[in-house]
Amino acid sequence: MEEMSFAGADRLSHAYIVSAPSREEYLRTARTLAAAAVCTGGGPVPCGKCRACRKAEGGIHPDIITVRRLTDDKGKQKREIGVDQIRQVIGDAYVLPNEAERKVYIIEEAETMNTAAQNAALKLLEEPPKGVIFLLCTANPEQLLPTVRSRCAELNRNAGKAERDEDADKLAAAYLKAVASGDRAKLLRWCMENEGLDNRSAAAFTDSARELLADMLCGRRSRMGLTEESLAELLRLMERCGRYLSVNTGVKQLFGLLAVDSPLGSGNRGKDN
Protein backbone atom coordinates (compact mmCIF):
# COMPACT_ATOMS: atom_id res chain seq x y z
CA MET A 1 0.00 0.00 0.00
CA GLU A 2 1.27 3.48 -0.85
CA GLU A 3 2.93 5.30 2.03
CA MET A 4 0.39 8.08 2.47
CA SER A 5 -1.71 8.72 5.57
CA PHE A 6 -4.37 11.10 6.84
CA ALA A 7 -5.12 12.43 10.32
CA GLY A 8 -8.43 10.60 10.38
CA ALA A 9 -11.17 9.30 8.11
CA ASP A 10 -13.46 12.11 9.28
CA ARG A 11 -11.06 14.58 7.64
CA LEU A 12 -11.57 13.13 4.16
CA SER A 13 -13.54 15.07 1.55
CA HIS A 14 -16.67 13.53 0.03
CA ALA A 15 -15.11 13.56 -3.46
CA TYR A 16 -11.62 13.60 -4.95
CA ILE A 17 -10.20 13.80 -8.44
CA VAL A 18 -7.13 11.58 -8.22
CA SER A 19 -4.80 12.27 -11.13
CA ALA A 20 -1.44 10.87 -12.15
CA PRO A 21 0.41 10.24 -15.44
CA SER A 22 -0.33 6.51 -15.36
CA ARG A 23 -3.28 4.29 -14.47
CA GLU A 24 -1.13 2.35 -12.02
CA GLU A 25 -0.16 5.50 -10.11
CA TYR A 26 -3.65 6.96 -9.75
CA LEU A 27 -5.19 3.63 -8.79
CA ARG A 28 -2.54 3.06 -6.14
CA THR A 29 -3.36 6.45 -4.63
CA ALA A 30 -7.11 5.84 -4.87
CA ARG A 31 -6.81 2.48 -3.11
CA THR A 32 -4.86 4.12 -0.30
CA LEU A 33 -7.58 6.75 0.07
CA ALA A 34 -10.25 4.04 0.02
CA ALA A 35 -8.42 2.10 2.73
CA ALA A 36 -8.18 5.29 4.80
CA ALA A 37 -11.95 5.74 4.53
CA VAL A 38 -12.76 2.27 5.90
CA CYS A 39 -9.83 1.90 8.35
CA THR A 40 -10.78 1.00 11.94
CA GLY A 41 -7.30 1.16 13.45
CA GLY A 42 -7.55 4.64 14.94
CA GLY A 43 -4.88 7.33 14.63
CA PRO A 44 -3.45 8.16 11.21
CA VAL A 45 -5.24 6.23 8.48
CA PRO A 46 -4.87 3.81 6.81
CA CYS A 47 -3.10 1.84 9.53
CA GLY A 48 -2.47 -1.08 7.19
CA LYS A 49 -3.01 -3.57 10.02
CA CYS A 50 -6.70 -3.70 10.88
CA ARG A 51 -9.08 -6.18 9.27
CA ALA A 52 -10.61 -3.46 7.07
CA CYS A 53 -7.19 -2.38 5.77
CA ARG A 54 -6.24 -5.98 5.01
CA LYS A 55 -9.46 -6.45 3.07
CA ALA A 56 -8.89 -3.22 1.19
CA GLU A 57 -5.35 -4.32 0.35
CA GLY A 58 -6.70 -7.62 -0.96
CA GLY A 59 -9.40 -5.91 -3.02
CA ILE A 60 -12.21 -7.70 -1.20
CA HIS A 61 -13.70 -5.02 1.04
CA PRO A 62 -17.46 -4.95 0.32
CA ASP A 63 -17.72 -1.18 0.85
CA ILE A 64 -15.06 -0.29 -1.72
CA ILE A 65 -16.74 -0.41 -5.13
CA THR A 66 -14.92 -0.01 -8.44
CA VAL A 67 -16.68 1.47 -11.47
CA ARG A 68 -15.07 0.95 -14.87
CA ARG A 69 -16.02 0.77 -18.53
CA LEU A 70 -18.19 -2.25 -19.32
CA THR A 71 -17.44 -4.84 -22.00
CA ASP A 72 -19.69 -5.64 -24.96
CA ASP A 73 -21.00 -9.07 -25.92
CA LYS A 74 -17.69 -9.78 -27.69
CA GLY A 75 -15.66 -9.07 -24.57
CA LYS A 76 -14.32 -5.77 -25.90
CA GLN A 77 -14.21 -2.84 -23.49
CA LYS A 78 -16.59 -0.04 -24.38
CA ARG A 79 -15.28 3.46 -25.09
CA GLU A 80 -17.30 5.23 -22.42
CA ILE A 81 -18.76 4.95 -18.96
CA GLY A 82 -22.43 5.50 -19.68
CA VAL A 83 -25.16 7.32 -17.80
CA ASP A 84 -26.87 4.02 -16.85
CA GLN A 85 -23.76 2.96 -14.91
CA ILE A 86 -23.73 6.23 -12.98
CA ARG A 87 -27.46 5.89 -12.27
CA GLN A 88 -26.73 2.48 -10.75
CA VAL A 89 -24.06 4.11 -8.58
CA ILE A 90 -26.58 6.75 -7.48
CA GLY A 91 -29.07 4.08 -6.43
CA ASP A 92 -26.42 2.02 -4.63
CA ALA A 93 -24.94 5.06 -2.87
CA TYR A 94 -28.09 5.43 -0.76
CA VAL A 95 -27.81 1.85 0.52
CA LEU A 96 -26.07 1.62 3.90
CA PRO A 97 -22.51 0.19 4.01
CA ASN A 98 -22.03 -3.52 4.69
CA GLU A 99 -19.22 -3.31 7.26
CA ALA A 100 -17.59 0.09 7.42
CA GLU A 101 -18.95 3.49 8.37
CA ARG A 102 -18.37 4.66 4.80
CA LYS A 103 -18.72 3.47 1.24
CA VAL A 104 -16.13 4.36 -1.37
CA TYR A 105 -16.63 4.41 -5.15
CA ILE A 106 -13.47 4.28 -7.25
CA ILE A 107 -14.29 5.43 -10.78
CA GLU A 108 -11.50 4.31 -13.09
CA GLU A 109 -10.73 6.40 -16.18
CA ALA A 110 -13.25 8.98 -15.02
CA GLU A 111 -12.57 11.05 -18.14
CA THR A 112 -14.34 8.35 -20.20
CA MET A 113 -17.67 9.22 -18.59
CA ASN A 114 -19.75 10.72 -21.36
CA THR A 115 -21.42 14.10 -20.85
CA ALA A 116 -24.72 12.60 -19.68
CA ALA A 117 -22.87 10.41 -17.17
CA GLN A 118 -20.87 13.37 -15.85
CA ASN A 119 -24.01 15.45 -15.46
CA ALA A 120 -25.68 12.60 -13.57
CA ALA A 121 -22.59 12.32 -11.35
CA LEU A 122 -22.72 16.08 -10.78
CA LYS A 123 -26.09 15.80 -9.08
CA LEU A 124 -24.65 13.17 -6.76
CA LEU A 125 -21.58 15.27 -6.00
CA GLU A 126 -23.74 18.30 -5.17
CA GLU A 127 -25.81 16.44 -2.57
CA PRO A 128 -23.87 13.29 -1.62
CA PRO A 129 -25.35 10.74 0.79
CA LYS A 130 -23.77 10.83 4.22
CA GLY A 131 -20.69 8.65 4.57
CA VAL A 132 -20.10 8.16 0.83
CA ILE A 133 -16.80 9.06 -0.85
CA PHE A 134 -16.19 9.28 -4.59
CA LEU A 135 -12.73 8.91 -6.14
CA LEU A 136 -12.60 10.01 -9.77
CA CYS A 137 -9.37 8.57 -11.16
CA THR A 138 -7.87 10.02 -14.32
CA ALA A 139 -4.68 10.82 -16.16
CA ASN A 140 -6.47 13.79 -17.76
CA PRO A 141 -8.53 15.77 -15.23
CA GLU A 142 -9.00 18.52 -17.83
CA GLN A 143 -11.38 16.20 -19.69
CA LEU A 144 -13.85 16.32 -16.82
CA LEU A 145 -16.54 19.00 -16.92
CA PRO A 146 -15.57 22.18 -15.03
CA THR A 147 -18.72 21.78 -12.93
CA VAL A 148 -17.61 18.30 -11.85
CA ARG A 149 -14.07 19.46 -11.07
CA SER A 150 -15.33 22.38 -8.99
CA ARG A 151 -17.12 19.99 -6.62
CA CYS A 152 -14.14 17.74 -5.94
CA ALA A 153 -10.90 18.13 -4.05
CA GLU A 154 -7.98 17.49 -6.42
CA LEU A 155 -5.17 15.15 -5.47
CA ASN A 156 -2.54 15.48 -8.17
CA ARG A 157 0.28 12.92 -8.16
CA ASN A 158 2.01 14.63 -11.10
CA ALA A 159 4.92 15.99 -9.09
CA GLY A 160 7.29 15.31 -11.94
CA LYS A 161 5.01 16.57 -14.68
CA ALA A 162 6.72 18.36 -17.52
CA GLU A 163 6.37 22.08 -17.99
CA ARG A 164 3.45 23.38 -20.00
CA ASP A 165 3.60 23.00 -23.77
CA GLU A 166 3.73 26.64 -24.87
CA ASP A 167 3.22 25.74 -28.53
CA ALA A 168 0.02 23.89 -27.64
CA ASP A 169 -1.20 26.85 -25.57
CA LYS A 170 -0.57 29.24 -28.48
CA LEU A 171 -2.33 26.87 -30.87
CA ALA A 172 -5.37 26.63 -28.58
CA ALA A 173 -5.56 30.41 -28.26
CA ALA A 174 -5.31 30.83 -32.06
CA TYR A 175 -8.10 28.26 -32.59
CA LEU A 176 -10.44 30.04 -30.18
CA LYS A 177 -9.58 33.39 -31.77
CA ALA A 178 -10.60 31.97 -35.15
CA VAL A 179 -13.83 30.60 -33.65
CA ALA A 180 -14.61 33.91 -31.93
CA SER A 181 -14.11 35.81 -35.20
CA GLY A 182 -17.35 34.33 -36.52
CA ASP A 183 -15.67 33.70 -39.89
CA ARG A 184 -16.04 30.06 -41.00
CA ALA A 185 -13.59 30.55 -43.87
CA LYS A 186 -10.95 31.86 -41.47
CA LEU A 187 -11.48 28.84 -39.19
CA LEU A 188 -11.25 26.49 -42.19
CA ARG A 189 -7.93 28.06 -43.24
CA TRP A 190 -6.58 27.68 -39.70
CA CYS A 191 -7.61 24.02 -39.58
CA MET A 192 -6.01 23.31 -42.95
CA GLU A 193 -2.77 24.99 -41.83
CA ASN A 194 -2.54 22.76 -38.76
CA GLU A 195 -3.93 19.42 -39.94
CA GLY A 196 -0.37 18.12 -40.44
CA LEU A 197 0.37 17.98 -36.71
CA ASP A 198 1.51 14.68 -35.26
CA ASN A 199 -0.72 12.88 -32.75
CA ARG A 200 1.25 14.01 -29.70
CA SER A 201 1.03 17.68 -30.69
CA ALA A 202 -2.66 17.33 -31.51
CA ALA A 203 -3.34 15.75 -28.10
CA ALA A 204 -1.41 18.56 -26.38
CA PHE A 205 -3.50 21.09 -28.34
CA THR A 206 -6.80 19.52 -27.24
CA ASP A 207 -5.60 19.44 -23.62
CA SER A 208 -4.66 23.13 -23.75
CA ALA A 209 -7.93 24.05 -25.44
CA ARG A 210 -9.92 22.25 -22.73
CA GLU A 211 -8.03 24.07 -19.99
CA LEU A 212 -8.53 27.43 -21.70
CA LEU A 213 -12.26 26.79 -22.19
CA ALA A 214 -12.64 25.70 -18.57
CA ASP A 215 -10.96 28.93 -17.45
CA MET A 216 -13.31 30.94 -19.66
CA LEU A 217 -16.38 29.19 -18.25
CA CYS A 218 -15.18 29.79 -14.70
CA GLY A 219 -14.48 33.48 -15.38
CA ARG A 220 -10.70 33.20 -15.03
CA ARG A 221 -10.10 34.30 -18.64
CA SER A 222 -11.77 36.58 -21.15
CA ARG A 223 -14.52 34.80 -23.10
CA MET A 224 -13.62 36.60 -26.36
CA GLY A 225 -17.29 37.46 -26.78
CA LEU A 226 -18.32 33.79 -26.80
CA THR A 227 -21.49 32.90 -24.94
CA GLU A 228 -21.55 30.41 -22.08
CA GLU A 229 -23.55 28.02 -24.29
CA SER A 230 -20.93 28.24 -27.05
CA LEU A 231 -18.09 27.68 -24.58
CA ALA A 232 -19.82 24.60 -23.16
CA GLU A 233 -20.40 23.25 -26.67
CA LEU A 234 -16.76 23.87 -27.59
CA LEU A 235 -15.64 22.07 -24.44
CA ARG A 236 -17.77 19.05 -25.36
CA LEU A 237 -16.30 19.14 -28.86
CA MET A 238 -12.75 19.16 -27.51
CA GLU A 239 -13.61 16.27 -25.19
CA ARG A 240 -14.79 14.30 -28.22
CA CYS A 241 -11.54 15.14 -30.01
CA GLY A 242 -9.53 13.90 -27.05
CA ARG A 243 -11.43 10.60 -27.06
CA TYR A 244 -11.03 10.22 -30.83
CA LEU A 245 -7.27 10.72 -30.57
CA SER A 246 -7.10 8.05 -27.87
CA VAL A 247 -8.44 5.51 -30.39
CA ASN A 248 -6.07 6.65 -33.16
CA THR A 249 -8.41 8.82 -35.23
CA GLY A 250 -6.32 10.68 -37.81
CA VAL A 251 -5.31 14.26 -37.03
CA LYS A 252 -6.53 15.44 -40.45
CA GLN A 253 -10.01 14.04 -39.74
CA LEU A 254 -9.92 15.69 -36.33
CA PHE A 255 -9.24 19.15 -37.75
CA GLY A 256 -11.90 18.54 -40.38
CA LEU A 257 -14.34 17.97 -37.52
CA LEU A 258 -13.25 21.22 -35.85
CA ALA A 259 -13.71 23.12 -39.11
CA VAL A 260 -17.29 21.89 -39.49
CA ASP A 261 -18.63 21.48 -35.94
CA SER A 262 -17.07 24.39 -34.04
CA PRO A 263 -19.82 26.85 -33.01
CA LEU A 264 -18.79 30.29 -34.23
CA GLY A 265 -18.82 33.48 -32.19
CA SER A 266 -20.48 36.72 -33.21
CA GLY A 267 -17.21 38.33 -34.26
CA ASN A 268 -17.41 40.80 -31.35
CA ARG A 269 -14.45 39.86 -29.16
CA GLY A 270 -14.54 43.07 -27.20
CA LYS A 271 -17.25 41.95 -24.79
CA ASP A 272 -17.64 39.03 -22.45
CA ASN A 273 -20.99 37.30 -22.18
Side-chain angles (χ1 to χ4, degrees):
M1 187 173 293
E2 184 176 2
E3 292 185 2
M4 179 174 68
S5 63
F6 302 85
D10 59 335
R11 303 285 183 89
L12 295 175
S13 173
H14 75 283
Y16 288 88
I17 293 173
V18 183
S19 61
S22 71
R23 180 176 180 273
E24 180 182 17
E25 287 178 90
Y26 66 58
L27 285 181
R28 185 166 61 244
T29 300
R31 287 164 184 155
T32 300
L33 270 170
V38 300
C39 178
T40 60
V45 294
C47 70
K49 299 177 181 178
C50 69
R51 184 168 179 265
C53 281
R54 293 197 302 273
K55 281 191 171 186
E57 179 75 14
I60 57 172
H61 199 292
D63 296 316
I64 299 176
I65 302 100
T66 299
V67 180
R68 58 173 64 95
R69 288 181 289 156
L70 299 175
T71 55
D72 59 25
D73 53 6
K74 296 181 180 178
K76 184 177 180 181
Q77 196 170 37
K78 295 183 178 180
R79 291 185 179 181
E80 300 178 329
I81 293 175
V83 66
D84 288 342
Q85 285 181 260
I86 299 303
R87 286 173 178 160
Q88 289 178 3
V89 169
I90 293 172
D92 187 68
Y94 287 92
V95 178
L96 293 175
N98 290 281
E99 297 179 6
E101 293 184 5
R102 297 169 183 80
K103 293 176 77 171
V104 185
Y105 293 88
I106 298 175
I107 302 179
E108 294 185 12
E109 298 176 299
E111 77 279 4
T112 65
M113 288 190 291
N114 59 33
T115 301
Q118 290 195 51
N119 283 326
L122 177 62
K123 296 176 182 178
L124 193 60
L125 295 172
E126 287 176 333
E127 298 180 5
K130 184 178 180 180
V132 176
I133 295 175
F134 302 97
L135 306 178
L136 281 62
C137 302
T138 177
N140 298 293
E142 298 84 4
Q143 293 187 28
L144 295 168
L145 295 177
T147 46
V148 170
R149 293 182 66 182
S150 68
R151 286 159 178 79
C152 301
E154 294 203 31
L155 186 56
N156 190 329
R157 308 299 285 177
N158 296 346
K161 190 175 180 181
E163 294 182 1
R164 292 190 62 83
D165 188 328
E166 292 184 4
D167 289 340
D169 288 346
K170 290 177 182 177
L171 205 61
Y175 162 69
L176 290 175
K177 183 177 180 180
V179 169
S181 73
D183 187 338
R184 182 69 66 182
K186 181 177 181 179
L187 175 62
L188 178 59
R189 286 195 299 273
W190 181 90
C191 289
M192 290 177 66
E193 289 170 0
N194 292 285
E195 65 183 15
L197 290 176
D198 57 38
N199 276 61
R200 188 205 66 78
S201 298
F205 155 69
T206 60
D207 287 345
S208 292
R210 280 194 296 266
E211 288 188 29
L212 184 52
L213 286 163
D215 283 346
M216 288 177 171
L217 278 166
C218 295
R220 293 189 290 266
R221 298 240 189 163
S222 167
R223 292 182 175 181
M224 299 183 176
L226 294 166
T227 65
E228 184 172 332
E229 181 179 4
S230 293
L231 291 171
E233 188 174 346
L234 283 164
L235 188 57
R236 288 193 292 271
L237 178 59
M238 298 313 297
E239 289 165 355
R240 282 168 57 199
C241 289
R243 290 196 294 271
Y244 290 162
L245 282 171
S246 70
V247 293
N248 295 321
T249 297
V251 174
K252 186 173 182 178
Q253 287 85 350
L254 197 76
F255 278 87
L257 176 68
L258 292 178
V260 174
D261 284 6
S262 298
L264 295 180
S266 63
N268 180 9
R269 299 197 296 115
K271 295 181 180 180
D272 287 344
N273 291 307

